[in-house]
Amino acid sequence: MVIKAVKGVKDILPGDTAKWRMLEKKARSVFRRFGYREIVLPIFEKSEVFIKGVGETTDIVQKEMYTFADQGNESLTLRPEGTASCVRAYIEHSMYHPQGAVTPLFYFGPMFRRERPQKGRFRQFFQIGAELFGIGEPTADAEVIHLLTLLLKEAGIKEQKLFINSLGCGDCRPEFKKGLVEYLSGKKESLCDNCKERYKANPLRVIDCKSESCAKVIADAPTIDKYWCGDCRTHFTSVRENLKTLGLEFELNLKMVRGLDYYNRTVFEVIGENLGAQNSIAGGGRYDSLVKDSGGPSVPAIGFAIGVERLISSIGDSLKGEDESPDVYIVHQGKDALAQAFKIAGGLRELGIKTACLYKQTSIKKQIANAGKSGAGVCVILGENEISRNIATVKDLSTGEQEECPLSKINDAVKALRIKRWSGKG
Ligand SMILES: [Zn+2]
Ligand SMILES: [Zn+2]
């Protein structure tokens, strides 16, 4: 029996990894422009981090977490998202010092959710996340959204649609929830079984519910904008003005609540033009009470996460990885030549030159053909004729020009050719 990977979990193979690294590189470049610094978070945490942080009534906590007791009988969970971990680390390392500090962080890495397997969804999936702690101003909301949309644009998303909403605050959201529960009570029989149970405890989940019957009920439900308090209204107006200042187009979606409990005020989602409405590439929002609720000081925060698999599948082949081809390809014929090739390859690699060589006795013709296909700029030929004269033929594969050179001078010859070739390319 061949053992296969776990269902919903996939390998990222060479070829694709080059694209992934390129995406990371582009993301880093954008983060740097906005002053964000990288944090590397553990892949597992104590389960409370997520139960408290993500919210007990969320689908993630109720159905999707990989939770296990370790040998010391401690309940641990593979992280289903990054924000709760990031908040835990932010508090643990007192990153709120000195008082009033603004702390912009970003991270890359795998997240784990036991979702029903379906196309484009994985149980181990990757996110690029950002969190900005210490600033509650509406300019911060607009800046974070700008960062996200710029990152997606530079990654190769040509058309993106930005949706925004405000979920209100601790003062006005309870009123909205109350109004919503009242409305839903009257339509209880039309709700799905799941929502029949949860609509009182968390009516916002009904808005997110994917069942058709609930969607119908929600279509005429009261919307949050009627309930925004004065401060929330002013904040959101300012966010929209700031987005306009930056030339960012957006659409208001009053039905967008996001599936997590910790969001307040501004929430946002980006959908790629060629992905369905269900397939947002990225989303996030403000979470001004999560730090305090997690045992830290009262520090406002806002963040987002990008789904890397969806991003990569929607930009397709337009994302070119870095060139993985060798600089030099060494071909050889005969036992002595193979020994020489081995030695030369080692020396060139020490000099920082990407060198390919197949340590097998195969036809030199075939090896030369492979050298041509490899993308290498230089081919070092060690045929029987060359070896008997203690020389090598060094060939510039882009021009076809070649020259003979003593074996002792091979490094210099390769370097010279490589420099000539590269400067020729500009
Ligand atoms: Zn409010
Ligand atoms: Zn439902």
PDB file of all heavy atoms in Angstrom, residues 132-137 140-141 168-170 173 232 235 262-266 285-293 297-303:
ATOM      1  N   LEU A 132      -2.042  45.538  12.188  1.00  0.00           N
ATOM      2  CA  LEU A 132      -1.526  46.847  12.590  1.00  0.00           C
ATOM      3  C   LEU A 132      -2.112  47.179  13.959  1.00  0.00           C
ATOM      4  O   LEU A 132      -3.320  47.373  14.097  1.00  0.00           O
ATOM      5  CB  LEU A 132      -1.938  47.892  11.553  1.00  0.00           C
ATOM      6  CG  LEU A 132      -1.666  49.366  11.885  1.00  0.00           C
ATOM      7  CD1 LEU A 132      -0.168  49.627  12.060  1.00  0.00           C
ATOM      8  CD2 LEU A 132      -2.215  50.262  10.774  1.00  0.00           C
ATOM      9  N   PHE A 133      -1.243  47.229  14.970  1.00  0.00           N
ATOM     10  CA  PHE A 133      -1.703  47.478  16.335  1.00  0.00           C
ATOM     11  C   PHE A 133      -1.421  48.924  16.741  1.00  0.00           C
ATOM     12  O   PHE A 133      -0.390  49.490  16.375  1.00  0.00           O
ATOM     13  CB  PHE A 133      -0.948  46.568  17.326  1.00  0.00           C
ATOM     14  CG  PHE A 133      -1.248  45.112  17.153  1.00  0.00           C
ATOM     15  CD1 PHE A 133      -0.400  44.304  16.394  1.00  0.00           C
ATOM     16  CD2 PHE A 133      -2.360  44.535  17.743  1.00  0.00           C
ATOM     17  CE1 PHE A 133      -0.662  42.948  16.236  1.00  0.00           C
ATOM     18  CE2 PHE A 133      -2.629  43.184  17.594  1.00  0.00           C
ATOM     19  CZ  PHE A 133      -1.778  42.387  16.834  1.00  0.00           C
ATOM     20  N   GLY A 134      -2.315  49.478  17.526  1.00  0.00           N
ATOM     21  CA  GLY A 134      -2.012  50.746  18.188  1.00  0.00           C
ATOM     22  C   GLY A 134      -2.602  51.982  17.548  1.00  0.00           C
ATOM     23  O   GLY A 134      -2.301  53.091  17.975  1.00  0.00           O
ATOM     24  N   ILE A 135      -3.418  51.807  16.527  1.00  0.00           N
ATOM     25  CA  ILE A 135      -3.985  53.000  15.898  1.00  0.00           C
ATOM     26  C   ILE A 135      -5.444  52.747  15.473  1.00  0.00           C
ATOM     27  O   ILE A 135      -5.734  51.788  14.771  1.00  0.00           O
ATOM     28  CB  ILE A 135      -3.087  53.524  14.745  1.00  0.00           C
ATOM     29  CG1 ILE A 135      -3.702  54.756  14.086  1.00  0.00           C
ATOM     30  CG2 ILE A 135      -2.798  52.467  13.721  1.00  0.00           C
ATOM     31  CD1 ILE A 135      -2.689  55.618  13.370  1.00  0.00           C
ATOM     32  N   GLY A 136      -6.317  53.593  15.951  1.00  0.00           N
ATOM     33  CA  GLY A 136      -7.747  53.423  15.697  1.00  0.00           C
ATOM     34  C   GLY A 136      -8.297  54.418  14.704  1.00  0.00           C
ATOM     35  O   GLY A 136      -9.490  54.412  14.386  1.00  0.00           O
ATOM     36  N   GLU A 137      -7.429  55.275  14.186  1.00  0.00           N
ATOM     37  CA  GLU A 137      -7.868  56.333  13.261  1.00  0.00           C
ATOM     38  C   GLU A 137      -8.356  55.739  11.942  1.00  0.00           C
ATOM     39  O   GLU A 137      -7.806  54.749  11.464  1.00  0.00           O
ATOM     40  CB  GLU A 137      -6.696  57.267  12.949  1.00  0.00           C
ATOM     41  CG  GLU A 137      -6.020  57.881  14.140  1.00  0.00           C
ATOM     42  CD  GLU A 137      -6.974  58.685  15.007  1.00  0.00           C
ATOM     43  OE1 GLU A 137      -7.772  59.449  14.422  1.00  0.00           O
ATOM     44  OE2 GLU A 137      -6.958  58.520  16.234  1.00  0.00           O
ATOM     45  N   ALA A 140      -5.848  54.793   9.264  1.00  0.00           N
ATOM     46  CA  ALA A 140      -5.195  53.484   9.350  1.00  0.00           C
ATOM     47  C   ALA A 140      -5.989  52.445   8.572  1.00  0.00           C
ATOM     48  O   ALA A 140      -5.420  51.608   7.858  1.00  0.00           O
ATOM     49  CB  ALA A 140      -5.046  53.055  10.805  1.00  0.00           C
ATOM     50  N   ASP A 141      -7.322  52.510   8.672  1.00  0.00           N
ATOM     51  CA  ASP A 141      -8.157  51.556   7.936  1.00  0.00           C
ATOM     52  C   ASP A 141      -7.896  51.677   6.441  1.00  0.00           C
ATOM     53  O   ASP A 141      -7.705  50.685   5.739  1.00  0.00           O
ATOM     54  CB  ASP A 141      -9.653  51.828   8.194  1.00  0.00           C
ATOM     55  CG  ASP A 141     -10.010  51.815   9.672  1.00  0.00           C
ATOM     56  OD1 ASP A 141      -9.160  52.211  10.491  1.00  0.00           O
ATOM     57  OD2 ASP A 141     -11.142  51.421  10.006  1.00  0.00           O
ATOM     58  N   GLY A 168     -20.037  48.421  13.149  1.00  0.00           N
ATOM     59  CA  GLY A 168     -20.394  49.156  14.360  1.00  0.00           C
ATOM     60  C   GLY A 168     -19.478  48.821  15.523  1.00  0.00           C
ATOM     61  O   GLY A 168     -18.448  48.161  15.352  1.00  0.00           O
ATOM     62  N   CYS A 169     -19.873  49.280  16.707  1.00  0.00           N
ATOM     63  CA  CYS A 169     -19.007  49.094  17.876  1.00  0.00           C
ATOM     64  C   CYS A 169     -19.800  48.453  19.019  1.00  0.00           C
ATOM     65  O   CYS A 169     -20.959  48.084  18.855  1.00  0.00           O
ATOM     66  CB  CYS A 169     -18.447  50.435  18.317  1.00  0.00           C
ATOM     67  SG  CYS A 169     -19.719  51.561  18.922  1.00  0.00           S
ATOM     68  N   GLY A 170     -19.163  48.358  20.163  1.00  0.00           N
ATOM     69  CA  GLY A 170     -19.805  47.770  21.336  1.00  0.00           C
ATOM     70  C   GLY A 170     -21.064  48.503  21.765  1.00  0.00           C
ATOM     71  O   GLY A 170     -21.900  47.945  22.481  1.00  0.00           O
ATOM     72  N   ARG A 173     -23.611  47.919  17.933  1.00  0.00           N
ATOM     73  CA  ARG A 173     -23.852  46.594  17.359  1.00  0.00           C
ATOM     74  C   ARG A 173     -24.890  45.777  18.132  1.00  0.00           C
ATOM     75  O   ARG A 173     -25.703  45.081  17.524  1.00  0.00           O
ATOM     76  CB  ARG A 173     -22.570  45.805  17.163  1.00  0.00           C
ATOM     77  CG  ARG A 173     -22.845  44.533  16.390  1.00  0.00           C
ATOM     78  CD  ARG A 173     -21.675  43.952  15.706  1.00  0.00           C
ATOM     79  NE  ARG A 173     -20.501  43.997  16.563  1.00  0.00           N
ATOM     80  CZ  ARG A 173     -19.407  43.290  16.316  1.00  0.00           C
ATOM     81  NH1 ARG A 173     -19.366  42.508  15.277  1.00  0.00           N
ATOM     82  NH2 ARG A 173     -18.369  43.387  17.100  1.00  0.00           N
ATOM     83  N   CYS A 232     -19.350  55.749  15.007  1.00  0.00           N
ATOM     84  CA  CYS A 232     -19.114  54.738  13.964  1.00  0.00           C
ATOM     85  C   CYS A 232     -19.415  55.321  12.585  1.00  0.00           C
ATOM     86  O   CYS A 232     -18.704  55.068  11.618  1.00  0.00           O
ATOM     87  CB  CYS A 232     -19.955  53.492  14.214  1.00  0.00           C
ATOM     88  SG  CYS A 232     -19.301  52.480  15.560  1.00  0.00           S
ATOM     89  N   HIS A 235     -16.587  57.682  11.687  1.00  0.00           N
ATOM     90  CA  HIS A 235     -15.388  56.887  11.377  1.00  0.00           C
ATOM     91  C   HIS A 235     -15.484  56.312   9.960  1.00  0.00           C
ATOM     92  O   HIS A 235     -14.559  56.449   9.159  1.00  0.00           O
ATOM     93  CB  HIS A 235     -15.255  55.745  12.401  1.00  0.00           C
ATOM     94  CG  HIS A 235     -14.034  54.889  12.206  1.00  0.00           C
ATOM     95  ND1 HIS A 235     -12.880  55.084  12.935  1.00  0.00           N
ATOM     96  CD2 HIS A 235     -13.778  53.859  11.366  1.00  0.00           C
ATOM     97  CE1 HIS A 235     -11.973  54.185  12.548  1.00  0.00           C
ATOM     98  NE2 HIS A 235     -12.495  53.429  11.598  1.00  0.00           N
ATOM     99  N   TYR A 262     -14.535  38.663  16.266  1.00  0.00           N
ATOM    100  CA  TYR A 262     -13.797  39.783  16.852  1.00  0.00           C
ATOM    101  C   TYR A 262     -13.844  41.099  16.071  1.00  0.00           C
ATOM    102  O   TYR A 262     -13.371  42.117  16.545  1.00  0.00           O
ATOM    103  CB  TYR A 262     -12.341  39.400  17.150  1.00  0.00           C
ATOM    104  CG  TYR A 262     -11.551  38.765  16.012  1.00  0.00           C
ATOM    105  CD1 TYR A 262     -11.284  39.451  14.836  1.00  0.00           C
ATOM    106  CD2 TYR A 262     -11.021  37.481  16.155  1.00  0.00           C
ATOM    107  CE1 TYR A 262     -10.541  38.878  13.840  1.00  0.00           C
ATOM    108  CE2 TYR A 262     -10.266  36.886  15.149  1.00  0.00           C
ATOM    109  CZ  TYR A 262     -10.027  37.583  13.999  1.00  0.00           C
ATOM    110  OH  TYR A 262      -9.283  37.019  13.007  1.00  0.00           O
ATOM    111  N   TYR A 263     -14.405  41.093  14.882  1.00  0.00           N
ATOM    112  CA  TYR A 263     -14.375  42.325  14.096  1.00  0.00           C
ATOM    113  C   TYR A 263     -15.341  43.395  14.623  1.00  0.00           C
ATOM    114  O   TYR A 263     -16.418  43.096  15.122  1.00  0.00           O
ATOM    115  CB  TYR A 263     -14.726  42.046  12.638  1.00  0.00           C
ATOM    116  CG  TYR A 263     -13.632  41.330  11.887  1.00  0.00           C
ATOM    117  CD1 TYR A 263     -13.879  40.142  11.216  1.00  0.00           C
ATOM    118  CD2 TYR A 263     -12.346  41.848  11.853  1.00  0.00           C
ATOM    119  CE1 TYR A 263     -12.872  39.483  10.526  1.00  0.00           C
ATOM    120  CE2 TYR A 263     -11.331  41.196  11.162  1.00  0.00           C
ATOM    121  CZ  TYR A 263     -11.600  40.017  10.508  1.00  0.00           C
ATOM    122  OH  TYR A 263     -10.607  39.371   9.825  1.00  0.00           O
ATOM    123  N   ASN A 264     -14.946  44.640  14.479  1.00  0.00           N
ATOM    124  CA  ASN A 264     -15.851  45.763  14.718  1.00  0.00           C
ATOM    125  C   ASN A 264     -15.524  46.835  13.689  1.00  0.00           C
ATOM    126  O   ASN A 264     -14.491  46.771  13.011  1.00  0.00           O
ATOM    127  CB  ASN A 264     -15.676  46.313  16.149  1.00  0.00           C
ATOM    128  CG  ASN A 264     -14.316  46.954  16.333  1.00  0.00           C
ATOM    129  OD1 ASN A 264     -13.290  46.291  16.272  1.00  0.00           O
ATOM    130  ND2 ASN A 264     -14.301  48.266  16.548  1.00  0.00           N
ATOM    131  N   ARG A 265     -16.385  47.790  13.563  1.00  0.00           N
ATOM    132  CA  ARG A 265     -16.214  48.870  12.581  1.00  0.00           C
ATOM    133  C   ARG A 265     -15.819  48.335  11.195  1.00  0.00           C
ATOM    134  O   ARG A 265     -16.433  47.416  10.702  1.00  0.00           O
ATOM    135  CB  ARG A 265     -15.208  49.911  13.103  1.00  0.00           C
ATOM    136  CG  ARG A 265     -15.828  50.685  14.267  1.00  0.00           C
ATOM    137  CD  ARG A 265     -15.274  52.078  14.445  1.00  0.00           C
ATOM    138  NE  ARG A 265     -16.118  52.806  15.381  1.00  0.00           N
ATOM    139  CZ  ARG A 265     -15.687  53.739  16.219  1.00  0.00           C
ATOM    140  NH1 ARG A 265     -14.414  54.095  16.229  1.00  0.00           N
ATOM    141  NH2 ARG A 265     -16.539  54.340  17.014  1.00  0.00           N
ATOM    142  N   THR A 266     -14.761  48.883  10.595  1.00  0.00           N
ATOM    143  CA  THR A 266     -14.479  48.583   9.183  1.00  0.00           C
ATOM    144  C   THR A 266     -14.140  47.106   8.928  1.00  0.00           C
ATOM    145  O   THR A 266     -13.240  46.561   9.569  1.00  0.00           O
ATOM    146  CB  THR A 266     -13.302  49.450   8.704  1.00  0.00           C
ATOM    147  OG1 THR A 266     -13.518  50.791   9.152  1.00  0.00           O
ATOM    148  CG2 THR A 266     -13.182  49.418   7.187  1.00  0.00           C
ATOM    149  N   GLY A 285     -10.380  43.225   8.722  1.00  0.00           N
ATOM    150  CA  GLY A 285     -11.185  44.217   9.406  1.00  0.00           C
ATOM    151  C   GLY A 285     -10.530  44.689  10.691  1.00  0.00           C
ATOM    152  O   GLY A 285      -9.443  44.244  11.061  1.00  0.00           O
ATOM    153  N   ARG A 286     -11.246  45.582  11.332  1.00  0.00           N
ATOM    154  CA  ARG A 286     -10.774  46.171  12.581  1.00  0.00           C
ATOM    155  C   ARG A 286     -11.210  45.288  13.736  1.00  0.00           C
ATOM    156  O   ARG A 286     -12.286  44.674  13.696  1.00  0.00           O
ATOM    157  CB  ARG A 286     -11.388  47.573  12.671  1.00  0.00           C
ATOM    158  CG  ARG A 286     -10.938  48.400  13.822  1.00  0.00           C
ATOM    159  CD  ARG A 286     -11.239  49.870  13.622  1.00  0.00           C
ATOM    160  NE  ARG A 286     -10.166  50.553  12.896  1.00  0.00           N
ATOM    161  CZ  ARG A 286      -8.927  50.706  13.371  1.00  0.00           C
ATOM    162  NH1 ARG A 286      -8.584  50.227  14.535  1.00  0.00           N
ATOM    163  NH2 ARG A 286      -8.009  51.342  12.652  1.00  0.00           N
ATOM    164  N   TYR A 287     -10.365  45.179  14.737  1.00  0.00           N
ATOM    165  CA  TYR A 287     -10.729  44.381  15.928  1.00  0.00           C
ATOM    166  C   TYR A 287     -10.209  45.097  17.180  1.00  0.00           C
ATOM    167  O   TYR A 287      -9.231  44.710  17.788  1.00  0.00           O
ATOM    168  CB  TYR A 287     -10.223  42.937  15.810  1.00  0.00           C
ATOM    169  CG  TYR A 287      -8.767  42.779  15.465  1.00  0.00           C
ATOM    170  CD1 TYR A 287      -7.796  42.645  16.467  1.00  0.00           C
ATOM    171  CD2 TYR A 287      -8.340  42.764  14.141  1.00  0.00           C
ATOM    172  CE1 TYR A 287      -6.452  42.499  16.149  1.00  0.00           C
ATOM    173  CE2 TYR A 287      -7.001  42.624  13.822  1.00  0.00           C
ATOM    174  CZ  TYR A 287      -6.063  42.483  14.836  1.00  0.00           C
ATOM    175  OH  TYR A 287      -4.743  42.353  14.520  1.00  0.00           O
ATOM    176  N   ASP A 288     -10.903  46.159  17.536  1.00  0.00           N
ATOM    177  CA  ASP A 288     -10.398  47.053  18.574  1.00  0.00           C
ATOM    178  C   ASP A 288     -10.461  46.499  20.000  1.00  0.00           C
ATOM    179  O   ASP A 288      -9.826  47.051  20.887  1.00  0.00           O
ATOM    180  CB  ASP A 288     -11.166  48.382  18.507  1.00  0.00           C
ATOM    181  CG  ASP A 288     -10.835  49.151  17.242  1.00  0.00           C
ATOM    182  OD1 ASP A 288      -9.713  48.961  16.713  1.00  0.00           O
ATOM    183  OD2 ASP A 288     -11.681  49.927  16.762  1.00  0.00           O
ATOM    184  N   SER A 289     -11.226  45.427  20.218  1.00  0.00           N
ATOM    185  CA  SER A 289     -11.284  44.943  21.601  1.00  0.00           C
ATOM    186  C   SER A 289     -10.588  43.605  21.811  1.00  0.00           C
ATOM    187  O   SER A 289     -10.498  43.118  22.930  1.00  0.00           O
ATOM    188  CB  SER A 289     -12.739  44.862  22.072  1.00  0.00           C
ATOM    189  OG  SER A 289     -13.503  44.195  21.103  1.00  0.00           O
ATOM    190  N   LEU A 290     -10.062  43.022  20.736  1.00  0.00           N
ATOM    191  CA  LEU A 290      -9.477  41.680  20.877  1.00  0.00           C
ATOM    192  C   LEU A 290      -8.247  41.665  21.794  1.00  0.00           C
ATOM    193  O   LEU A 290      -8.058  40.738  22.579  1.00  0.00           O
ATOM    194  CB  LEU A 290      -9.123  41.101  19.500  1.00  0.00           C
ATOM    195  CG  LEU A 290      -8.615  39.662  19.486  1.00  0.00           C
ATOM    196  CD1 LEU A 290      -9.622  38.700  20.105  1.00  0.00           C
ATOM    197  CD2 LEU A 290      -8.280  39.202  18.072  1.00  0.00           C
ATOM    198  N   VAL A 291      -7.410  42.690  21.706  1.00  0.00           N
ATOM    199  CA  VAL A 291      -6.201  42.716  22.544  1.00  0.00           C
ATOM    200  C   VAL A 291      -6.606  42.763  24.016  1.00  0.00           C
ATOM    201  O   VAL A 291      -6.096  42.003  24.847  1.00  0.00           O
ATOM    202  CB  VAL A 291      -5.295  43.909  22.172  1.00  0.00           C
ATOM    203  CG1 VAL A 291      -4.102  44.005  23.129  1.00  0.00           C
ATOM    204  CG2 VAL A 291      -4.797  43.789  20.731  1.00  0.00           C
ATOM    205  N   LYS A 292      -7.561  43.625  24.325  1.00  0.00           N
ATOM    206  CA  LYS A 292      -8.026  43.732  25.712  1.00  0.00           C
ATOM    207  C   LYS A 292      -8.720  42.434  26.152  1.00  0.00           C
ATOM    208  O   LYS A 292      -8.447  41.913  27.237  1.00  0.00           O
ATOM    209  CB  LYS A 292      -8.994  44.917  25.837  1.00  0.00           C
ATOM    210  CG  LYS A 292      -9.371  45.233  27.260  1.00  0.00           C
ATOM    211  CD  LYS A 292      -9.839  46.689  27.378  1.00  0.00           C
ATOM    212  CE  LYS A 292     -10.036  47.058  28.840  1.00  0.00           C
ATOM    213  NZ  LYS A 292     -11.434  46.944  29.247  1.00  0.00           N
ATOM    214  N   ASP A 293      -9.581  41.919  25.290  1.00  0.00           N
ATOM    215  CA  ASP A 293     -10.296  40.678  25.634  1.00  0.00           C
ATOM    216  C   ASP A 293      -9.348  39.492  25.796  1.00  0.00           C
ATOM    217  O   ASP A 293      -9.687  38.505  26.443  1.00  0.00           O
ATOM    218  CB  ASP A 293     -11.330  40.333  24.550  1.00  0.00           C
ATOM    219  CG  ASP A 293     -12.478  41.336  24.528  1.00  0.00           C
ATOM    220  OD1 ASP A 293     -12.590  42.133  25.487  1.00  0.00           O
ATOM    221  OD2 ASP A 293     -13.242  41.341  23.535  1.00  0.00           O
ATOM    222  N   PRO A 297      -3.612  45.266  27.167  1.00  0.00           N
ATOM    223  CA  PRO A 297      -4.180  46.592  27.366  1.00  0.00           C
ATOM    224  C   PRO A 297      -5.200  46.910  26.259  1.00  0.00           C
ATOM    225  O   PRO A 297      -5.323  46.153  25.298  1.00  0.00           O
ATOM    226  CB  PRO A 297      -2.968  47.510  27.249  1.00  0.00           C
ATOM    227  CG  PRO A 297      -2.020  46.778  26.375  1.00  0.00           C
ATOM    228  CD  PRO A 297      -2.244  45.317  26.617  1.00  0.00           C
ATOM    229  N   SER A 298      -5.885  48.026  26.418  1.00  0.00           N
ATOM    230  CA  SER A 298      -6.855  48.401  25.393  1.00  0.00           C
ATOM    231  C   SER A 298      -6.116  49.039  24.215  1.00  0.00           C
ATOM    232  O   SER A 298      -5.711  50.200  24.294  1.00  0.00           O
ATOM    233  CB  SER A 298      -7.861  49.377  26.003  1.00  0.00           C
ATOM    234  OG  SER A 298      -8.776  49.762  25.018  1.00  0.00           O
ATOM    235  N   VAL A 299      -5.912  48.264  23.172  1.00  0.00           N
ATOM    236  CA  VAL A 299      -5.164  48.751  22.011  1.00  0.00           C
ATOM    237  C   VAL A 299      -5.986  48.438  20.761  1.00  0.00           C
ATOM    238  O   VAL A 299      -6.337  47.283  20.526  1.00  0.00           O
ATOM    239  CB  VAL A 299      -3.790  48.042  21.910  1.00  0.00           C
ATOM    240  CG1 VAL A 299      -3.084  48.400  20.613  1.00  0.00           C
ATOM    241  CG2 VAL A 299      -2.910  48.394  23.093  1.00  0.00           C
ATOM    242  N   PRO A 300      -6.302  49.444  19.953  1.00  0.00           N
ATOM    243  CA  PRO A 300      -7.049  49.154  18.728  1.00  0.00           C
ATOM    244  C   PRO A 300      -6.171  48.440  17.705  1.00  0.00           C
ATOM    245  O   PRO A 300      -4.939  48.560  17.761  1.00  0.00           O
ATOM    246  CB  PRO A 300      -7.439  50.549  18.225  1.00  0.00           C
ATOM    247  CG  PRO A 300      -6.399  51.462  18.788  1.00  0.00           C
ATOM    248  CD  PRO A 300      -5.958  50.866  20.102  1.00  0.00           C
ATOM    249  N   ALA A 301      -6.791  47.706  16.814  1.00  0.00           N
ATOM    250  CA  ALA A 301      -6.006  46.981  15.804  1.00  0.00           C
ATOM    251  C   ALA A 301      -6.846  46.702  14.572  1.00  0.00           C
ATOM    252  O   ALA A 301      -8.075  46.705  14.622  1.00  0.00           O
ATOM    253  CB  ALA A 301      -5.482  45.671  16.384  1.00  0.00           C
ATOM    254  N   ILE A 302      -6.150  46.451  13.478  1.00  0.00           N
ATOM    255  CA  ILE A 302      -6.814  46.127  12.215  1.00  0.00           C
ATOM    256  C   ILE A 302      -5.885  45.236  11.411  1.00  0.00           C
ATOM    257  O   ILE A 302      -4.661  45.349  11.538  1.00  0.00           O
ATOM    258  CB  ILE A 302      -7.187  47.422  11.442  1.00  0.00           C
ATOM    259  CG1 ILE A 302      -7.908  47.096  10.136  1.00  0.00           C
ATOM    260  CG2 ILE A 302      -5.968  48.304  11.178  1.00  0.00           C
ATOM    261  CD1 ILE A 302      -8.566  48.318   9.476  1.00  0.00           C
ATOM    262  N   GLY A 303      -6.460  44.334  10.623  1.00  0.00           N
ATOM    263  CA  GLY A 303      -5.581  43.448   9.847  1.00  0.00           C
ATOM    264  C   GLY A 303      -6.315  42.777   8.712  1.00  0.00           C
ATOM    265  O   GLY A 303      -7.511  42.974   8.513  1.00  0.00           O
TER     266      GLY A 303
END
